[in-house]
Amino acid sequence: NSGGSGYTINKAALKVLVESFQTCNPHQHTFAEDVMVAACFRKNGIVPYDTKDDAGGERYMPFAPAHHLAYTKPANDNDWYVKYSINIKYGLDHCSDRSVAFHYIKGDLMKKMHAILYGHC
């Protein structure tokens, strides 16, 4: 699960998150808001569940599609993606047919993906 590409949370979890803003590291400045949101949830007893599909394909990706399709495990185990991912699939099996979100998508690519996915080309 990667929060960088987006979140899907229910109303109850959102309420807990908003109500705990003042106690979950309110003065910490970081670019990694997804890590902070996860820490805040964890502090309040809310844990995420695995969002992979039945075949193990990821639905929330921290990189653009091409990066995931070409991704291979680095020679060293110091890569954060390998370290924090469970049972990574590679190549076409990596991304779910029902992917929800990709991180780092610029406007032009987003428009192209939308056109391809929804039959506008």
Side-chain angles (χ1 to χ4, degrees):
N1 295 329
S2 173
S5 60
Y7 309 98
T8 301
I9 58 177
N10 65 26
K11 192 174 185 178
L14 180 61
K15 183 177 184 199
V16 168
L17 180 64
V18 170
E19 290 176 351
S20 61
F21 278 157
Q22 296 304 314
T23 59
C24 286
N25 301 311
H27 302 294
Q28 185 168 353
H29 296 279
T30 178
F31 69 92
E33 101 294 331
D34 54 337
V35 175
M36 297 305 296
V37 167
C40 194
F41 277 146
R42 195 170 27 259
K43 181 178 178 181
N44 286 286
I46 299 172
V47 293
Y49 61 89
D50 192 353
T51 58
K52 293 182 184 127
D53 66 17
D54 291 339
E58 297 282 353
R59 289 190 174 113
Y60 292 84
M61 269 68 65
F63 310 115
H67 182 92
H68 285 286
L69 292 174
Y71 183 82
T72 57
K73 183 178 177 183
N76 65 30
D77 286 336
N78 207 18
D79 183 65
W80 72 267
Y81 190 61
V82 171
K83 191 181 292 185
Y84 295 110
S85 296
I86 300 168
N87 299 325
I88 299 174
K89 300 224 176 232
Y90 298 94
L92 293 175
D93 294 330
H94 180 79
C95 300
S96 172
D97 290 344
R98 304 247 179 210
S99 294
V100 174
F102 292 90
H103 202 8
Y104 303 113
I105 302 296
K106 298 200 186 295
D108 287 345
L109 178 55
M110 191 177 298
K111 289 175 186 172
K112 288 175 186 173
M113 289 174 65
H114 183 271
I116 291 167
L117 291 170
Y118 296 100
H120 297 292
C121 60

